[in-house]
Amino acid sequence: LPPESGAAAHRSNIGFMTTPKLSLRAVRKSFGTNTVLDGIDLDVAPGEVITLIGASGSGKSTLLRCSNLLEPIDDGAILFDGDDIAEPGLDADPIRRRIGMVFQSFNLFPHMSVTKNVAIGPRKVLGVDKATANAIAVELLARFGLTDRADAYPDQLSGGQQQRVAIARSLAMGPEVMLLDEITSALDPELVGEVLDVVRGLKADGMTMLFATHEMAFAREISDRVCFLHRGRILEQGSPEQIFGDPQEQRTREFLQRVIDAGRL
């Protein structure tokens, strides 16, 4: 077998990394009397891909939104490169520039072309000049097979194309970590594959990712580690082989059996 190279070799050694890229420490979050995150502890190593699985309402989306400070936490700490970014009064904007997020809904600007949607972040937030920002957009659109849609508007695109534009828009900011929140849930089944191909490419590039998904077969394929969330806690985590092949917790087994019965694994 040929030796591992690049991102693959990097990922094979993530267990030996001493400094996580992103860490959640005893993170708690409630909405009123509803506790959504109940003491989350999670380390994400550089170049690692972690998928979050679990029933709707288990806390996956909230965990992601707290990770880049879209939601303030009630207790605990969130460390990015070792620095606590959840301290009260800290300016969150510089952090969000380094931690990209893609949502279930595409959230594209309907009055802007595809190119302008991708270029606006570098121009308005990073202060990049128009020509450079457009060049970044053109390169990303070419990478995702969207060159012929560069001058189109969002309502002229398929759902899969819109989600690829949303991912390109996030990548245009040069993030160090990507948070992906059920990015295929709003798509017709035949469009899911083209978006998942983009995620495969990001993994091949060594992007650090936290990915909440109901696509269990893809989670099994793409993950370095899988976390099963239940009632705001990480009930079980491990390699895809362990979680999908030999889950230890009864609740994990019940969840996966329902997935299998539904024909999704």
Side-chain angles (χ1 to χ4, degrees), residues 80-231:
F80 187 59
D81 283 338
D83 296 323
D84 187 357
I85 61 175
E87 291 183 352
L90 187 73
D91 183 4
D93 288 340
I95 301 299
R96 295 196 190 108
R97 295 169 196 165
R98 301 170 63 193
I99 304 178
M101 186 161 183
V102 183
F103 302 89
Q104 300 177 41
S105 55
F106 317 124
N107 294 331
L108 300 177
F109 295 112
H111 62 291
M112 291 185 179
S113 70
V114 165
T115 298
K116 288 182 178 178
N117 262 283
V118 177
I120 189 171
R123 287 189 64 194
K124 298 297 186 181
V125 180
L126 302 181
V128 173
D129 65 83
K130 181 177 180 180
T132 302
N134 285 344
I136 292 170
V138 167
E139 181 180 348
L140 285 166
L141 294 176
R143 175 180 173 184
F144 295 155
L146 293 165
T147 298
D148 62 335
R149 311 303 289 158
D151 295 325
Y153 287 83
D155 64 359
Q156 297 173 316
L157 306 179
S158 70
Q161 289 171 331
Q162 289 187 63
Q163 193 59 287
R164 281 184 281 161
V165 173
I167 295 171
R169 182 178 60 181
S170 185
L171 288 175
M173 300 293 290
E176 300 165 41
V177 175
M178 286 286 283
L179 310 174
L180 308 173
D181 186 14
E182 303 284 5
I183 60 172
T184 60
S185 65
L187 301 180
D188 292 334
E190 64 268 23
L191 302 177
V192 169
E194 64 189 60
V195 174
L196 296 183
D197 281 343
V198 171
V199 181
R200 290 186 182 96
L202 294 178
K203 175 168 181 169
D205 291 341
M207 176 64 74
T208 306
M209 288 187 281
L210 264 177
F211 184 22
T213 185
H214 287 298
E215 300 288 340
M216 295 299 126
F218 186 67
R220 189 169 195 165
E221 169 199 341
I222 199 77
S223 307
D224 294 306
R225 189 155 35 111
V226 177
C227 296
F228 172 68
L229 273 69
H230 178 59
R231 295 181 177 175

